[in-house]
């Protein structure tokens, strides 16, 4: 039986379900929850298994996490949702729509999604595992990783929230989540079957998942568009919340007018 994720929610209307990265839980989308709710959407930011008060799962993989997301959609009896993923959450979002496309109306992938190539592995996975292997606390890991991977335009309050969210993660879960990143191996043939309307958002200065990787993914997905935020690194929802939420709402509102 899949683990049901705990979540925070606000607002009423079409449901936007948000999936965080390995680096932090639902707080990644704290500004977005308020922005979406104020514009007539029901925003749900989940804590994936092992994060917050959600029990962990074994094995820890995008496939298992996707099953938890689908279980939550079923448990809440949601209409087809807009699924927003950040980092690892983007891989989980893709896995979710591949498993049950009827439950997903739209996709937004931020700073993640494509299977990792060698440079992305070196910039995303290796420094995090090295910090864990060095025996650092999560607070120390945040102090090491964040300055290397934020953009030069990141807002200070957002950086503080990134640091706080990362500090809240349990080290063992963090290791499992980081190790799950390279295990996502959905190939172009599988991804090309995703007909869901998709927006890909990336920071121009993201070393983990650079804009060219997202552009390559956009060429594979049948209905995808890209947006790049200048001066932003790996955490667009918190480094540049106004711009990120603006792109998200513009995408949602255009789709809403079309339907």
């Amino acid at each position: 039986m899949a683990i049901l994720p705990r979540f925070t929610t606000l607002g009423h209307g079409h449901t936007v379900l948000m999936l965080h990265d390995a680096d932090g839980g639902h707080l990644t989308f704290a500004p977005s929850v308020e922005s979406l709710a104020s514009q007539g959407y029901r925003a749900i930011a989940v804590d994936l298994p092992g994060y917050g008060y959600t029990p962990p799962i074994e094995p820890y993989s995008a496939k298992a996490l996707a099953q938890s997301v689908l279980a939550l959609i079923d448990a809440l009896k949601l209409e087809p949702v807009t699924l927003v993923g950040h980092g690892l959450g983007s891989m989980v979002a893709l896995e979710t729509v591949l498993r049950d496309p009827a439950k997903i109306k739209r996709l937004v992938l931020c700073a993640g999604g494509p299977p990792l190539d060698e440079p992305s592995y070196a910039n995303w996975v290796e420094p995090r595992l090295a910090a864990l292997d060095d025996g650092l606390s999560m607070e120390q890991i945040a102090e090491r990783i964040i300055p290397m991977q934020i953009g030069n335009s990141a807002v200070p309050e957002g950086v503080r929230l990134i640091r706080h969210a990362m500090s809240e993660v349990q080290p063992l879960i963090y290791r499992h989540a980081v190790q799950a990143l390279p295990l996502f191996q959905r190939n172009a043939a599988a991804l090309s079957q995703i007909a869901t309307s998709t927006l890909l958002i990336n920071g121009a200065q993201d070393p983990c998942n650079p804009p060219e990787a997202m552009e390559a993914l956009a060429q594979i997905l049948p209905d995808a568009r890209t947006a790049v935020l200048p001066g932003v690194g790996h955490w667009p929802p918190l480094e540049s919340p106004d711009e990120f939420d603006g792109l998200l709402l513009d995408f949602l509102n255009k789709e809403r007018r079309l339907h």
Side-chain angles (χ1 to χ4, degrees):
M1 180 180 294
I3 295 291
L4 280 179
R6 306 288 179 90
F7 58 89
T8 182
T9 184
L10 193 65
H12 301 278
H14 172 70
T15 299
V16 182
L17 193 62
M18 294 175 278
L19 313 176
H20 59 80
D21 193 9
D23 292 326
H26 73 273
L27 290 175
T28 298
F29 293 107
S32 301
V33 167
E34 294 192 13
S35 295
L36 290 166
S38 72
Q39 296 298 313
Y41 294 95
R42 181 188 186 189
I44 300 178
V46 308
D47 278 318
L48 291 170
Y51 288 78
Y53 293 102
T54 305
I57 55 171
E58 286 287 347
Y60 210 93
S61 67
K63 292 180 179 179
L65 294 171
Q67 286 300 118
S68 291
V69 173
L70 289 170
L72 180 63
I73 292 172
D74 288 340
L76 296 179
K77 296 180 171 57
L78 299 175
E79 297 295 320
V81 304
T82 294
L83 201 53
V84 180
H86 173 237
L88 174 62
S90 292
M91 297 175 176
V92 177
L94 286 170
E95 186 66 36
T96 302
V97 74
L98 283 166
R99 287 174 171 268
D100 199 338
K103 289 185 169 65
I104 312 303
K105 185 174 183 179
R106 290 177 289 252
L107 276 175
V108 179
L109 309 178
C110 174
L116 300 190
D117 57 15
E118 288 185 13
S120 291
Y121 184 90
N123 286 315
W124 199 348
V125 177
E126 287 181 350
R128 287 161 172 79
L129 291 180
L132 287 165
D133 291 341
D134 288 342
L136 301 184
S137 68
M138 289 305 299
E139 290 83 358
Q140 292 169 324
I141 291 174
E143 293 296 330
R144 177 188 289 190
I145 298 295
I146 292 170
M148 297 190 300
Q149 299 189 347
I150 58 170
N152 55 26
S153 297
V155 297
E157 58 270 29
V159 176
R160 287 194 292 270
L161 192 49
I162 297 167
R163 186 177 296 113
H164 173 68
M166 190 180 291
S167 299
E168 293 287 298
V169 183
Q170 296 298 317
L172 182 60
I173 292 299
Y174 192 57
R175 183 180 293 276
H176 288 329
V178 171
Q179 289 174 332
L181 290 165
L183 298 179
F184 180 74
Q185 295 294 334
R186 287 290 196 170
N187 60 24
L191 296 174
S192 68
Q193 301 304 308
I194 297 175
T196 309
S197 180
T198 304
L199 173 65
L200 291 82
I201 302 175
N202 217 70
Q205 298 175 340
D206 183 358
C208 301
N209 201 78
E212 54 266 27
M214 296 296 268
E215 186 59 42
L217 178 60
Q219 298 303 313
I220 295 170
L221 298 172
D223 183 8
R225 67 209 77 174
T226 60
V228 179
L229 294 174
V232 173
H234 187 56
W235 297 275
L238 292 176
E239 291 184 54
S240 188
D242 290 344
E243 288 75 12
F244 175 81
D245 291 344
L247 289 170
L248 177 56
L249 284 164
D250 185 57
F251 177 63
L252 291 170
N253 291 337
K254 282 183 178 178
E255 292 287 318
R256 183 160 59 182
R257 287 194 295 271
L258 290 173
H259 296 87

